[in-house]
Structure formats: C-alpha cells, structure tokens
C-alpha cells in the first residue's frame, strides 16, 4: 500500500536568526515555536502519518523548514541546492533520512539552485516557482529528473513571496488556492480559487478531506468547510514570522511502497 510518511526537523537554537525576505523581522519566541512544532507533528501522527525526525542542523537557523531540502515524486527524492548559501548544509541529514526510507536519490547540481518550497505537485503536474531561491538551471534539472517518470513540469513566476508555496497550494480535487495579491499569475493554473487571507493559501492534505492549515486563517477555514472539507487548524504563528507555513515544516511522502 502507498505510505503516508512525513519527514520533520525540530526547531534549532538559532531559529530566531532565520532569514526574512518579504516581511519585517519580528521577535521569535523559541519555546513557543517548539510547542507549536510539537502540536503540528502530533496532528500529522494523529491522522495516520508515520513520522521520521531528520537529524538536527543546529548551526542552520532555518533548518526546521525541512520541505526546502528535497522534492519527492513517486519514489525519487531530488535533493535541493538551496538558493541561500546559509541553508546548503541543511541537505545532508535530509539526504540520509530519504535514503533510509528507500528513496532513489538525485540532486540539483551547481549552478542550479532549487528550494523544495518552490515546487507544488498537483497529480502528475509539477509546478515550479522561478524566482528568488530557484533559478532557471534548477528548473531545467528538475524537469530532466521528473519528466521521464511521467511528470508534466510547468515553470511559473514567483516575485511577491519567498516560495511558490508561500503563494499557492492545492485542494484535494486539484484546485489551486491562493491569496490573489501574492500570486504572480493565477492564469498559470487551470483551476484557481482565491482565498480571503494570506495564511489561507497554505494547506497540507491529511487524507479523508481533512486540511491541515494555519489557525490564523479562520475565514478561509469557513470557506473550506462550505466546500465540504474538514479544516484542522494549528497555530504556526512563530514560523509565520519567518515566512514559514504549514507546508514547509514537513516533507510528505505519499508514493513510497512498503
């Protein structure tokens, strides 16, 4: 049967020093961030996800945002080459975790850069945000790895937010959702539904119509309820101060077979 496995990495002691690009820096409270992370992991586990904790990278302030270390399509893990030099050391332990799960490994090589948060998978379509952290060579290499596996790779512009998935994610039926002021080109997506709050653009599909999402988007949660979904809100406010969201705190592996 297909797995539901999630890689996570607990926040490190330098979290408050994490990079910010499109927002003003605000104080981050490490103890509160750890409690929020633990609740996030508990929700994944309670909804049937097997959890693997990636080894710490305590010298890397942004290491908790483990999604940026790789993109997984079918059983192939494409190791990222982060666009920010300070984040490049985050990848080594993530590689070891993916290898231990039996993934086939590939990697982005210089001069390519790619952050996992710039990649949105909707069925066999793989949208890649071309912007500040992912360059054209990174997109080319991702296409070369995943298209032979049956992926359709679509590059889309990203200039208003840190990563593509800072602007858009997708509902279980494949509809892409986003907060319009932060989406460069809504027409890039065949089905696009606007949401009323920035944090409402980010969902993790837990299974069974349940959507893990930020507690800071109550109006969007009501919209999803009206659409027949079951929102599962979590407080990720400390990570939102660092341009993080519910997607970037884990790598979800749905297509591994045991």
């Amino acid at each position: 049967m297909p797995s539901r496995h999630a890689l996570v990495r607990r926040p490190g002691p330098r979290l408050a020093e994490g990079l910010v690009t499109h927002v003003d820096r605000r104080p981050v409270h490490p103890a509160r961030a750890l409690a929020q992370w633990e609740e996030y992991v508990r929700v994944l586990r309670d909804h049937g996800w097997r959890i693997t904790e990636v080894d710490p990278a305590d010298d890397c302030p942004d290491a908790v945002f483990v999604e940026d270390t790789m993109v997984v399509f079918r059983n192939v893990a494409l190791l990222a080459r982060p666009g920010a030099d300070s984040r490049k050391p985050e990848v080594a332990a993530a590689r070891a975790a993916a290898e231990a799960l039996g993934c086939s490994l590939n990697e982005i090589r210089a001069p390519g850069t790619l952050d996992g948060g710039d990649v949105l998978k909707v069925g066999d379509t793989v949208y890649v945000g071309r912007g500040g952290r992912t360059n054209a060579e990174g997109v080319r290499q991702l296409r070369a790895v995943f298209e032979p596996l049956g992926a359709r790779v679509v590059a889309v512009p990203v200039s208003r937010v840190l990563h593509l998935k800072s602007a858009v994610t997708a509902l279980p039926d494949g509809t892409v959702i986003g907060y319009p002021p932060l989406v460069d080109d809504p027409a890039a997506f065949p089905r696009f539904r606007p949401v009323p709050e920035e944090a409402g653009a980010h969902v993790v599909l837990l299974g069974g119509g349940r959507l893990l999402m930020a507690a800071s988007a109550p109006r969007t949660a009501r919209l999803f309820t009206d659409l027949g979904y079951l929102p599962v809100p979590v407080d990720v406010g400390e990570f939102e101060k660092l341009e993080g969201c519910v997607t970037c705190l884990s790598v979800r592996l749905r297509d591994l077979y045991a």
Side-chain angles (χ1 to χ4, degrees):
M1 294 291 292
S3 67
R4 286 199 295 175
H5 209 116
L7 305 181
V8 299
R9 177 153 45 193
R10 68 180 53 243
R14 297 180 58 193
L15 176 68
E17 302 170 38
L19 299 172
V20 292
T21 305
H22 294 270
V23 300
D24 294 330
R25 185 172 294 281
R26 294 182 287 163
V28 173
H29 302 281
R32 191 179 305 160
L34 177 59
Q36 291 175 357
W37 180 86
E38 289 174 339
E39 176 65 8
Y40 174 91
V41 172
R42 184 194 67 77
V43 168
L44 287 174
R45 187 176 282 116
D46 287 352
H47 286 82
W49 289 75
R50 296 174 59 196
I51 302 297
T52 292
E53 192 167 330
V54 176
D55 286 345
D58 286 348
D59 288 336
C60 299
D62 293 292
V64 68
F65 302 124
V66 68
E67 180 182 55
D68 290 324
T69 63
M70 72 180 75
V71 182
V72 182
F73 184 80
R74 306 202 192 284
N75 70 325
V76 175
L78 176 61
L79 281 301
R81 185 169 182 269
D85 287 343
S86 64
R87 301 199 62 187
K88 288 181 171 63
E90 297 176 23
V91 176
R95 170 196 288 270
E99 189 171 28
L101 289 175
C103 294
S104 297
L105 301 183
N106 213 313
E107 62 184 338
I108 299 293
R109 301 180 184 276
T113 62
L114 182 136
D115 281 14
D118 274 323
V119 181
L120 173 65
K121 295 173 289 183
V122 182
D124 287 338
T125 300
V126 179
Y127 295 101
V128 187
R130 167 71 174 88
R133 296 285 178 88
T134 295
N135 66 15
E137 177 61 16
V139 175
R140 188 197 67 77
Q141 292 182 36
L142 179 141
R143 180 175 279 118
V145 172
F146 287 158
E147 283 189 342
L149 304 176
R152 184 176 73 94
V153 177
V154 179
V156 296
V158 173
S159 65
R160 304 176 187 180
V161 288
L162 179 62
H163 291 126
L164 176 62
K165 281 196 284 191
S166 304
V168 295
T169 56
L171 297 174
D173 68 357
T175 300
V176 172
I177 55 172
Y179 181 59
L182 301 182
V183 181
D184 282 72
D185 184 13
F189 311 105
R191 288 183 293 165
F192 177 82
R193 177 181 287 273
V195 298
E197 296 150 306
E198 178 178 349
H202 319 128
V203 295
V204 170
L205 310 186
L206 292 172
R210 290 174 170 81
L211 307 175
L212 176 61
M213 63 178 295
S216 55
R219 287 183 292 154
T220 307
R222 290 193 292 271
L223 169 63
F224 294 156
T225 300
D226 290 343
L227 294 174
Y229 298 110
L230 297 170
V232 181
V234 293
D235 184 0
V236 290
E238 295 305 303
F239 303 105
E240 289 172 333
K241 295 175 182 178
L242 297 168
E243 296 176 281
C245 64
V246 292
T247 66
C248 55
L249 292 171
S250 61
V251 178
R252 281 82 56 200
L253 301 95
R254 295 180 173 87
D255 296 322
L256 296 181
Y257 282 75

